[in-house]
Structures are given as structure tokens and as C-alpha cells.
Amino acid sequence: MKIPATLAALFFAAFTSTAVEIQGVKIPPTAEVAGKTLQLNGAGLRTFTLVFVPIKIYVAAFHAPAPLRTAEAVNASPGPLQFTFTFLRDVGQGDVTEAWKKQFAASNTHTYAGYEKDRDAFIAMRGT
């Protein structure tokens, strides 16, 4: 699956190789996926502003086998890659699906054949 450039860029801003804690969520410096050790590439807090009040939605983290500093590097990586989302509030699946679709539409300027299928597969990974 190709990762939209804006989504990938979100995680590169906070590149680090040490454990971090955001809003009480502890993010380890490494993760094991498919027998490979992945390094923390970045983490951040997603907020939504409602009537000038920021609402904290989730903490996201991105682990990869090597430092990936550009969207092109993410798309070219053979993986595995791990995105982790820890929701800070109870959010229903319908709300999450709608929010992801709006966020992708608002922040993605690049599409390709199969983009909608990949976007929907990404959104479905959240589960119920």
C-alpha cells in the first residue's frame, strides 16, 4: 500500500530513536514485526479543534526498518512498516471512518490507480 505524502510527513517531523511518551502513551524505540526490529521514526498527537478548543484524539507512532525521511523513501521501503494509533477517547467506527476519509481528502494531493482501495484498506485496519 502506498502512503500519502502528507500522512507520511506527519511522522517524520518527530524523528527519534529513543522511547517517548505523549499524553501518557508510552512509545518504545523499537518494535518487532515479522521477525524484524523496526526503529521509531516519529510520533505525534492528533488534535481536532472545535470552537477554538483543541480536542486530543489519538497518539500515532511510526516504526520502520531504517530511518525514512521522505514520502518517497516510505513508498520505496520494502517494509515491514508499523503505524500505531492509540485513541485517547471513545470513538465509534463510523466516526473514525468518516474522519479518516475527510483527512485523506483534505491533505492528499497525490492519487494513483488503486488509491481509494488502499485508503479504504488503511481505514479498515482500525477495526471496530
Side-chain angles (χ1 to χ4, degrees):
M1 174 169 100
K2 299 293 183 189
I3 306 299
T6 51
L7 179 63
L10 164 74
F11 299 102
F12 305 134
F15 179 79
T16 181
S17 63
T18 60
V20 296
E21 184 171 332
I22 301 172
Q23 293 296 303
V25 177
K26 295 177 183 163
I27 302 165
T30 62
E32 292 291 324
V33 175
K36 293 187 178 182
T37 300
L38 307 182
Q39 303 299 312
L40 179 61
N41 268 242
L45 173 66
R46 173 71 164 109
T47 61
F48 174 78
T49 302
L50 181 65
V51 192
F52 306 108
V53 177
I55 300 168
K56 298 167 187 166
I57 307 296
Y58 61 78
V59 173
F62 174 53
H63 289 83
L68 301 173
R69 307 247 181 188
T70 66
E72 292 78 17
V74 172
N75 288 333
S77 174
L81 304 174
Q82 176 175 288
F83 288 95
T84 309
F85 298 91
T86 304
F87 283 80
L88 303 174
R89 52 191 338 96
D90 187 24
V91 181
Q93 178 63 40
D95 292 334
V96 171
T97 298
E98 201 55 36
W100 276 116
K101 285 183 178 179
K102 285 180 182 177
Q103 185 62 45
F104 273 97
S107 62
N108 189 27
T109 58
H110 172 76
T111 61
Y112 52 89
Y115 165 76
E116 289 83 8
K117 180 181 174 189
D118 287 349
R119 179 202 62 201
D120 293 346
F122 177 85
I123 292 169
M125 283 189 260
R126 192 309 189 146
T128 56

